[in-house]
Amino acid sequence: MKRSIKIMLYCAGLTALTSTIAIACGPYFPWQLLDNRKETLLNLPAIDSFSQKVKTLGVVTAEEKKNLYSATNLNDPYIGQTTCPNTDEAYKKAAILFHNKQWEDAYSAFSMLAYNSNPAQQVCAKYTLGRIEKELGHFEDAVQSFNSTAYLVAHGAPDPLHLGIAAYGEAAGVILDQIGMRSIDKDDVVYWQVGSIKEDSFLQLQRAVELYLKQATLGDNDGVSSVMIILQGLSDPNNLNARELLKQAVQNSLLRKLLLAYVLTDEIDYKVYSKAKIQNILQAFIQTGLDLKNNYDDMGSLAAFAYQNNDVDKAQAFAEYDWNRNQKALDAWILAKIALRKGEKIKAQDYYHQAISHFNDETLQTRNRQRVQGERAVLTLSQGNFVQALEELWSVRDIYWGDIVYLAENVLTPDELRQFVNSHTNVPKDSKAACNRDIEEDYVDQNAAETSDDEYNMRYSLNGRSMALRHLLARRLMREGRLQEAIPYFTQIGDANCKGTPQHVQIERSYIKATTDMHRSFWATDRAKAAWKAATILRRHGMELMGTDGYPDQNPGTYPQGIGQMIGPANDLNNEPWSVPAEQVRTGASWPIPNRRFHYRYLAVEDVLYAANLIPYQSQAYAALLCHANGWMQKTSYYDGVSMAKDTESPSSYISLGAVNDPQFAYAKSRELYNLYLKNGAVVPFAKDFGYNCPQPKFGAVPKLKRDLFWKEVKKSLQSLRGH
């Protein structure tokens, strides 16, 4: 079959049987396990790759691997050829007969060419002969001709048109048409419907499948698609003939492996998801009386199939039987989930450890090995072992970064996190690393991240994860007021190559000095100037200095829209049974104050108000300070409004930031600042555009204004005394 199955891919995604790893629906969100712990721990995701399974089940010879065209054999000198080379007059005359559908005459002509021509032409003649025999209704002869085509190529005959590997698919199609009917809909989707059952129907089905598997194993993905189409037709619950063949298929070792791969995969590019078909296959398994005495070699897959269909007793029987015989990682994973359903956390933890220790048996793909490690960490967290949970997640940090962020930012104490960072991370040395980049207002942690060429596959490298966690700790220490402790963790890879002080270090030191001076300088005006400097640094570099990776700031890093992160176990009732009260207490205590997105902007405004209270209300500096602060809040209100609009337009988004992104909060703050200016401030030229195009505050004029105001008060007092 030459046509691929087309399917619509929706944002939420479809899986083989049950929900799998939760992922926020939007651009560049990382995978997370902690947002719905019940689903994570109790549901079993897809465990197989249909395409990989199909490509391992075909039986091919060494000659076929060497000579037949495949996806990895792209250095063929005839790669651009579209017609048979070295054709003689006899071949051309035969081709005309074929084109004119003079099947009998064409058959005679190509029969002679198939045995009396040069090797390349002989391959073409054999292949064409198979097509003619199919038209004439000589189906077995057609199959033989197609197989002979592949045989010639496998034994060294030139194959410029890659007919050798295609011949297997053609031969399989001829066989398949004898036991069913293929059709194509208006969207070019191919279907196959089982016809009347004959004595040899199942044998013919097996022959067709074996040929398609051979085609797939040799690198032609049409073989994969064709096997999928067969399984779709075979599992059609509305076709009584298909049900008869399906009963035989579940008892056949090869077909059973394919059926299990079909129901245990989430490769929706290859199949049209149908729960009715899945249930039909399950019913076929049940009707055959599958039990332990059958001694099948795929008991683990059967256990997974039973578990995903909520037959926990059967799943446990299959998994325990297979575990006792073979000690497979898949069995241990299923048994861990069954133990969790029964509330046996310690037993489940042991099975998770067993599954991890048996990863080398290859019963789990890489993604599921990572999933098992992540699930173990979720279970550890549910028992209140916070640092150990982070320890267990760290090995799969490249996949579950959102969960790492949640634990590091919300659950561990700063000291626990600092100890973890000191023992698990370092700043890698790189002589080619740039000293620094310009730090922009809209901060993206590019120094901690490596992005791939594919913009839809943005990921941190493992070294980048290490750096990102160090920077996360640095920002958390800054929020805690432990400014000096934070500086070493802001270190970037290129710092060692800087000739002078790196720009980010200058900013960090400037902020620390400003916050110190705003409280310790002797003169009030100097304290005000320092507070203004601290405020402007926070406004320009607050995300870099204090921003949270997760809630509420959603510091983007490699993920421009944030990580769509959970805000604690109480946010979802599915999480409460899988957490301890201490986790929620720690989570709430770790949120920044104020608990708003861009929270550092509100801190900058507080610094501005502190400065404004230290200088005369009649000064230009007072009005300018409030003007800037008002503008910051207006901008914050605007961006929060945009964020809320996006959440409204995309209801499938994982988390609406709600109160965190409430534009009314920032807007109210901006109004408060404007009203404060109206109440106290002097008339200034920029008052009509308050919050826009604000000038820099002129602190140099403040001492003179203070003196003028002082003497004004003195004169006023003297005049008052004279009046008496």
Side-chain angles (χ1 to χ4, degrees), residues 306-331:
Y307 186 89
Q308 289 187 333
N309 283 274
N310 294 316
D311 190 343
V312 177
D313 291 338
K314 185 73 73 175
Q316 183 171 0
F318 287 158
E320 286 180 344
Y321 180 78
D322 201 44
W323 174 252
N324 292 332
R325 289 175 59 223
N326 302 309
Q327 300 277 294
K328 292 180 180 178
L330 174 58
D331 303 322

mmCIF file of all heavy atoms in Angstrom, residues 306-331:
data_model
loop_
_atom_site.group_PDB
_atom_site.id
_atom_site.type_symbol
_atom_site.label_atom_id
_atom_site.label_comp_id
_atom_site.label_asym_id
_atom_site.label_seq_id
_atom_site.Cartn_x
_atom_site.Cartn_y
_atom_site.Cartn_z
ATOM 1 N N ALA A 306 -4.376 -5.327 29.815
ATOM 2 C CA ALA A 306 -5.431 -5.549 30.808
ATOM 3 C C ALA A 306 -5.526 -4.365 31.772
ATOM 4 O O ALA A 306 -6.618 -3.895 32.098
ATOM 5 C CB ALA A 306 -5.153 -6.836 31.577
ATOM 6 N N TYR A 307 -4.376 -3.847 32.204
ATOM 7 C CA TYR A 307 -4.371 -2.730 33.154
ATOM 8 C C TYR A 307 -5.006 -1.492 32.531
ATOM 9 O O TYR A 307 -5.819 -0.808 33.158
ATOM 10 C CB TYR A 307 -2.943 -2.420 33.594
ATOM 11 C CG TYR A 307 -2.868 -1.369 34.679
ATOM 12 C CD1 TYR A 307 -2.917 -1.727 36.022
ATOM 13 C CD2 TYR A 307 -2.777 -0.020 34.362
ATOM 14 C CE1 TYR A 307 -2.869 -0.763 37.026
ATOM 15 C CE2 TYR A 307 -2.735 0.950 35.345
ATOM 16 C CZ TYR A 307 -2.781 0.583 36.679
ATOM 17 O OH TYR A 307 -2.744 1.538 37.666
ATOM 18 N N GLN A 308 -4.641 -1.208 31.279
ATOM 19 C CA GLN A 308 -5.184 -0.018 30.637
ATOM 20 C C GLN A 308 -6.691 -0.123 30.413
ATOM 21 O O GLN A 308 -7.362 0.883 30.222
ATOM 22 C CB GLN A 308 -4.460 0.237 29.311
ATOM 23 C CG GLN A 308 -3.029 0.721 29.504
ATOM 24 C CD GLN A 308 -2.378 1.124 28.204
ATOM 25 O OE1 GLN A 308 -2.728 0.631 27.145
ATOM 26 N NE2 GLN A 308 -1.400 2.008 28.286
ATOM 27 N N ASN A 309 -7.202 -1.353 30.434
ATOM 28 C CA ASN A 309 -8.640 -1.554 30.283
ATOM 29 C C ASN A 309 -9.316 -1.859 31.615
ATOM 30 O O ASN A 309 -10.403 -2.439 31.656
ATOM 31 C CB ASN A 309 -8.907 -2.659 29.269
ATOM 32 C CG ASN A 309 -8.720 -2.192 27.853
ATOM 33 O OD1 ASN A 309 -9.627 -1.645 27.235
ATOM 34 N ND2 ASN A 309 -7.510 -2.376 27.319
ATOM 35 N N ASN A 310 -8.638 -1.496 32.709
ATOM 36 C CA ASN A 310 -9.200 -1.559 34.062
ATOM 37 C C ASN A 310 -9.499 -2.970 34.548
ATOM 38 O O ASN A 310 -10.286 -3.158 35.478
ATOM 39 C CB ASN A 310 -10.466 -0.700 34.157
ATOM 40 C CG ASN A 310 -10.157 0.768 33.989
ATOM 41 O OD1 ASN A 310 -9.198 1.274 34.558
ATOM 42 N ND2 ASN A 310 -10.952 1.455 33.185
ATOM 43 N N ASP A 311 -8.880 -3.967 33.937
ATOM 44 C CA ASP A 311 -8.976 -5.333 34.458
ATOM 45 C C ASP A 311 -7.738 -5.573 35.324
ATOM 46 O O ASP A 311 -6.779 -6.228 34.920
ATOM 47 C CB ASP A 311 -9.049 -6.337 33.303
ATOM 48 C CG ASP A 311 -9.396 -7.746 33.790
ATOM 49 O OD1 ASP A 311 -9.257 -8.000 35.008
ATOM 50 O OD2 ASP A 311 -9.774 -8.579 32.955
ATOM 51 N N VAL A 312 -7.778 -5.000 36.529
ATOM 52 C CA VAL A 312 -6.595 -4.992 37.389
ATOM 53 C C VAL A 312 -6.229 -6.403 37.856
ATOM 54 O O VAL A 312 -5.042 -6.743 37.958
ATOM 55 C CB VAL A 312 -6.826 -4.059 38.594
ATOM 56 C CG1 VAL A 312 -5.624 -4.088 39.539
ATOM 57 C CG2 VAL A 312 -7.085 -2.634 38.114
ATOM 58 N N ASP A 313 -7.224 -7.233 38.134
ATOM 59 C CA ASP A 313 -6.933 -8.595 38.595
ATOM 60 C C ASP A 313 -6.171 -9.383 37.533
ATOM 61 O O ASP A 313 -5.185 -10.067 37.834
ATOM 62 C CB ASP A 313 -8.230 -9.318 38.948
ATOM 63 C CG ASP A 313 -8.897 -8.736 40.185
ATOM 64 O OD1 ASP A 313 -8.179 -8.082 40.984
ATOM 65 O OD2 ASP A 313 -10.111 -8.917 40.342
ATOM 66 N N LYS A 314 -6.636 -9.296 36.293
ATOM 67 C CA LYS A 314 -5.952 -10.008 35.213
ATOM 68 C C LYS A 314 -4.555 -9.422 34.992
ATOM 69 O O LYS A 314 -3.585 -10.155 34.776
ATOM 70 C CB LYS A 314 -6.776 -9.906 33.929
ATOM 71 C CG LYS A 314 -6.225 -10.717 32.760
ATOM 72 C CD LYS A 314 -6.445 -12.206 32.941
ATOM 73 C CE LYS A 314 -7.895 -12.566 32.741
ATOM 74 N NZ LYS A 314 -8.137 -14.015 32.799
ATOM 75 N N ALA A 315 -4.458 -8.093 35.066
ATOM 76 C CA ALA A 315 -3.163 -7.442 34.891
ATOM 77 C C ALA A 315 -2.175 -7.915 35.954
ATOM 78 O O ALA A 315 -1.007 -8.194 35.663
ATOM 79 C CB ALA A 315 -3.321 -5.925 34.958
ATOM 80 N N GLN A 316 -2.640 -8.008 37.192
ATOM 81 C CA GLN A 316 -1.765 -8.450 38.271
ATOM 82 C C GLN A 316 -1.334 -9.902 38.066
ATOM 83 O O GLN A 316 -0.160 -10.240 38.261
ATOM 84 C CB GLN A 316 -2.465 -8.296 39.615
ATOM 85 C CG GLN A 316 -1.580 -8.683 40.799
ATOM 86 C CD GLN A 316 -2.214 -8.315 42.136
ATOM 87 O OE1 GLN A 316 -3.311 -7.764 42.196
ATOM 88 N NE2 GLN A 316 -1.522 -8.613 43.222
ATOM 89 N N ALA A 317 -2.261 -10.746 37.638
ATOM 90 C CA ALA A 317 -1.918 -12.155 37.420
ATOM 91 C C ALA A 317 -0.869 -12.298 36.322
ATOM 92 O O ALA A 317 0.131 -13.013 36.478
ATOM 93 C CB ALA A 317 -3.176 -12.946 37.057
ATOM 94 N N PHE A 318 -1.073 -11.603 35.204
ATOM 95 C CA PHE A 318 -0.113 -11.671 34.102
ATOM 96 C C PHE A 318 1.246 -11.116 34.518
ATOM 97 O O PHE A 318 2.292 -11.713 34.255
ATOM 98 C CB PHE A 318 -0.633 -10.869 32.896
ATOM 99 C CG PHE A 318 -1.770 -11.518 32.175
ATOM 100 C CD1 PHE A 318 -2.622 -10.756 31.390
ATOM 101 C CD2 PHE A 318 -2.002 -12.883 32.262
ATOM 102 C CE1 PHE A 318 -3.686 -11.331 30.707
ATOM 103 C CE2 PHE A 318 -3.058 -13.480 31.588
ATOM 104 C CZ PHE A 318 -3.903 -12.707 30.813
ATOM 105 N N ALA A 319 1.229 -9.923 35.167
ATOM 106 C CA ALA A 319 2.482 -9.253 35.523
ATOM 107 C C ALA A 319 3.269 -10.061 36.558
ATOM 108 O O ALA A 319 4.496 -10.201 36.451
ATOM 109 C CB ALA A 319 2.193 -7.850 36.043
ATOM 110 N N GLU A 320 2.575 -10.598 37.580
ATOM 111 C CA GLU A 320 3.274 -11.387 38.604
ATOM 112 C C GLU A 320 3.851 -12.665 38.006
ATOM 113 O O GLU A 320 4.985 -13.056 38.332
ATOM 114 C CB GLU A 320 2.319 -11.720 39.752
ATOM 115 C CG GLU A 320 2.017 -10.535 40.651
ATOM 116 C CD GLU A 320 1.073 -10.902 41.780
ATOM 117 O OE1 GLU A 320 0.415 -11.981 41.684
ATOM 118 O OE2 GLU A 320 0.983 -10.122 42.757
ATOM 119 N N TYR A 321 3.093 -13.299 37.125
ATOM 120 C CA TYR A 321 3.569 -14.527 36.478
ATOM 121 C C TYR A 321 4.832 -14.235 35.661
ATOM 122 O O TYR A 321 5.832 -14.950 35.753
ATOM 123 C CB TYR A 321 2.470 -15.090 35.578
ATOM 124 C CG TYR A 321 2.859 -16.355 34.853
ATOM 125 C CD1 TYR A 321 2.866 -17.582 35.513
ATOM 126 C CD2 TYR A 321 3.206 -16.323 33.512
ATOM 127 C CE1 TYR A 321 3.219 -18.743 34.853
ATOM 128 C CE2 TYR A 321 3.564 -17.481 32.840
ATOM 129 C CZ TYR A 321 3.563 -18.695 33.513
ATOM 130 O OH TYR A 321 3.919 -19.845 32.853
ATOM 131 N N ASP A 322 4.767 -13.158 34.885
ATOM 132 C CA ASP A 322 5.916 -12.821 34.040
ATOM 133 C C ASP A 322 7.098 -12.338 34.873
ATOM 134 O O ASP A 322 8.257 -12.616 34.551
ATOM 135 C CB ASP A 322 5.502 -11.745 33.030
ATOM 136 C CG ASP A 322 6.414 -11.706 31.820
ATOM 137 O OD1 ASP A 322 6.754 -12.783 31.302
ATOM 138 O OD2 ASP A 322 6.803 -10.600 31.388
ATOM 139 N N TRP A 323 6.806 -11.610 35.960
ATOM 140 C CA TRP A 323 7.880 -11.113 36.825
ATOM 141 C C TRP A 323 8.613 -12.277 37.488
ATOM 142 O O TRP A 323 9.843 -12.279 37.561
ATOM 143 C CB TRP A 323 7.309 -10.171 37.874
ATOM 144 C CG TRP A 323 8.301 -9.720 38.905
ATOM 145 C CD1 TRP A 323 8.360 -10.103 40.204
ATOM 146 C CD2 TRP A 323 9.392 -8.815 38.709
ATOM 147 N NE1 TRP A 323 9.419 -9.504 40.843
ATOM 148 C CE2 TRP A 323 10.069 -8.702 39.942
ATOM 149 C CE3 TRP A 323 9.868 -8.107 37.623
ATOM 150 C CZ2 TRP A 323 11.189 -7.894 40.104
ATOM 151 C CZ3 TRP A 323 10.992 -7.291 37.778
ATOM 152 C CH2 TRP A 323 11.637 -7.193 39.004
ATOM 153 N N ASN A 324 7.879 -13.243 37.956
ATOM 154 C CA ASN A 324 8.504 -14.397 38.611
ATOM 155 C C ASN A 324 9.350 -15.220 37.642
ATOM 156 O O ASN A 324 10.320 -15.850 38.048
ATOM 157 C CB ASN A 324 7.432 -15.279 39.245
ATOM 158 C CG ASN A 324 6.746 -14.596 40.419
ATOM 159 O OD1 ASN A 324 7.344 -13.760 41.090
ATOM 160 N ND2 ASN A 324 5.482 -14.928 40.660
ATOM 161 N N ARG A 325 8.955 -15.196 36.347
ATOM 162 C CA ARG A 325 9.710 -15.967 35.351
ATOM 163 C C ARG A 325 10.859 -15.174 34.743
ATOM 164 O O ARG A 325 11.950 -15.694 34.542
ATOM 165 C CB ARG A 325 8.784 -16.409 34.209
ATOM 166 C CG ARG A 325 7.775 -17.488 34.595
ATOM 167 C CD ARG A 325 6.827 -17.756 33.438
ATOM 168 N NE ARG A 325 7.555 -18.187 32.246
ATOM 169 C CZ ARG A 325 7.297 -17.760 31.011
ATOM 170 N NH1 ARG A 325 6.343 -16.869 30.809
ATOM 171 N NH2 ARG A 325 7.988 -18.225 29.992
ATOM 172 N N ASN A 326 10.605 -13.870 34.451
ATOM 173 C CA ASN A 326 11.554 -13.129 33.616
ATOM 174 C C ASN A 326 12.129 -11.867 34.239
ATOM 175 O O ASN A 326 13.074 -11.301 33.699
ATOM 176 C CB ASN A 326 10.864 -12.742 32.296
ATOM 177 C CG ASN A 326 10.358 -13.942 31.537
ATOM 178 O OD1 ASN A 326 11.101 -14.888 31.308
ATOM 179 N ND2 ASN A 326 9.083 -13.917 31.140
ATOM 180 N N GLN A 327 11.539 -11.386 35.352
ATOM 181 C CA GLN A 327 12.048 -10.174 36.009
ATOM 182 C C GLN A 327 12.182 -9.009 35.025
ATOM 183 O O GLN A 327 13.253 -8.435 34.834
ATOM 184 C CB GLN A 327 13.416 -10.460 36.650
ATOM 185 C CG GLN A 327 13.410 -11.532 37.699
ATOM 186 C CD GLN A 327 12.978 -11.016 39.059
ATOM 187 O OE1 GLN A 327 13.659 -10.203 39.671
ATOM 188 N NE2 GLN A 327 11.843 -11.497 39.526
ATOM 189 N N LYS A 328 11.064 -8.652 34.377
ATOM 190 C CA LYS A 328 11.090 -7.582 33.385
ATOM 191 C C LYS A 328 10.677 -6.244 34.008
ATOM 192 O O LYS A 328 9.824 -6.193 34.886
ATOM 193 C CB LYS A 328 10.154 -7.914 32.219
ATOM 194 C CG LYS A 328 10.623 -9.090 31.373
ATOM 195 C CD LYS A 328 9.634 -9.359 30.242
ATOM 196 C CE LYS A 328 10.086 -10.534 29.384
ATOM 197 N NZ LYS A 328 9.099 -10.829 28.306
ATOM 198 N N ALA A 329 11.308 -5.182 33.509
ATOM 199 C CA ALA A 329 11.015 -3.844 34.027
ATOM 200 C C ALA A 329 9.546 -3.481 33.837
ATOM 201 O O ALA A 329 8.933 -2.856 34.711
ATOM 202 C CB ALA A 329 11.908 -2.813 33.330
ATOM 203 N N LEU A 330 8.955 -3.861 32.703
ATOM 204 C CA LEU A 330 7.551 -3.560 32.445
ATOM 205 C C LEU A 330 6.656 -4.197 33.500
ATOM 206 O O LEU A 330 5.716 -3.567 33.998
ATOM 207 C CB LEU A 330 7.159 -4.051 31.049
ATOM 208 C CG LEU A 330 5.672 -3.933 30.687
ATOM 209 C CD1 LEU A 330 5.195 -2.493 30.792
ATOM 210 C CD2 LEU A 330 5.423 -4.488 29.283
ATOM 211 N N ASP A 331 6.944 -5.440 33.874
ATOM 212 C CA ASP A 331 6.143 -6.117 34.901
ATOM 213 C C ASP A 331 6.198 -5.358 36.224
ATOM 214 O O ASP A 331 5.173 -5.151 36.882
ATOM 215 C CB ASP A 331 6.660 -7.543 35.114
ATOM 216 C CG ASP A 331 6.655 -8.360 33.835
ATOM 217 O OD1 ASP A 331 5.703 -8.203 33.051
ATOM 218 O OD2 ASP A 331 7.602 -9.136 33.631
#
